[in-house]
Amino acid sequence: MEPIIWLVILAFLLAIEAATAGLTTIWFAGGALVSAVAAYLGADIWLQILLFLGVSILLLIFTRPLAVRYMNKNLEKTNVNSLIGKKAVVTREIHNLAQTGQVRINDVEWMARSLSDEEIIPADTIVRIEEIRGVTLYVKEFKED
């Protein structure tokens, strides 16, 4: 009876993983599979639980970082996040304390601020977009290295 219980747990965990596709329960499904085999071979319940926990934790620690890196490898930034790291042209002087500043990127005007309140960036300067907060681009002057 115990192998069947572990297989039901395995099926439940795999169903959750299929529904979420977020690499959340797959590691525990591996632990449930090992525990089902141990139960089939006649292992005591304490050993089955220990195997479930041990294998799940080991899979989580050692394979999750690789799986996450592999799954996010071809993930392309979209929408506003795709602007980070790109260059833009200042169309209106950026002065944080005066609350002024505008840049143009891809034929769209954006409100812009400098990363530092002390930095004033004149018009026609090329800047790099460092971060985005709401509808404001935070930039710093682009300098060729």
Side-chain angles (χ1 to χ4, degrees):
M1 184 68 176
E2 289 170 356
I4 294 173
I5 292 171
W6 285 113
L7 291 175
V8 168
I9 292 170
L10 171 66
F12 179 70
L13 292 169
L14 288 175
I16 291 173
E17 185 63 38
T20 61
L23 294 177
T24 53
T25 61
I26 193 73
W27 324 111
F28 299 99
L33 179 62
V34 169
S35 294
V37 171
Y40 180 76
L41 296 174
D44 290 332
I45 189 70
W46 66 267
L47 182 58
Q48 294 170 36
I49 293 171
L50 188 65
L51 283 170
F52 172 73
L53 293 173
V55 169
S56 297
I57 290 169
L58 285 174
L59 286 173
L60 186 64
I61 291 171
F62 292 110
T63 60
R64 187 177 190 283
L66 295 172
V68 168
R69 188 177 319 135
Y70 177 74
M71 292 205 41
N72 292 336
K73 185 178 182 181
N74 297 325
L75 193 63
E76 192 171 315
K77 290 182 179 179
T78 58
N79 299 332
V80 74
N81 291 328
S82 66
L83 297 177
I84 295 175
K86 296 206 174 161
K87 293 183 260 182
V89 176
V90 177
T91 58
R92 184 172 174 210
E93 179 182 77
I94 299 172
H95 189 284
N96 290 4
L97 298 177
Q99 297 183 351
T100 61
Q102 213 167 20
V103 297
R104 177 180 289 131
I105 181 166
N106 299 333
D107 292 326
V108 177
E109 297 277 337
W110 288 83
M111 183 172 20
R113 296 292 182 260
S114 168
L115 287 174
S116 167
D117 284 343
E118 291 77 35
E119 183 179 22
I120 297 172
I121 303 173
D124 298 323
T125 303
I126 297 176
V127 292
R128 181 188 317 264
I129 300 165
E130 298 294 324
E131 60 184 86
I132 301 168
R133 296 183 212 152
V135 294
T136 305
L137 304 181
Y138 283 80
V139 300
K140 89 178 184 186
E141 193 169 343
F142 178 74
K143 296 178 182 160
E144 298 268 350
D145 292 330

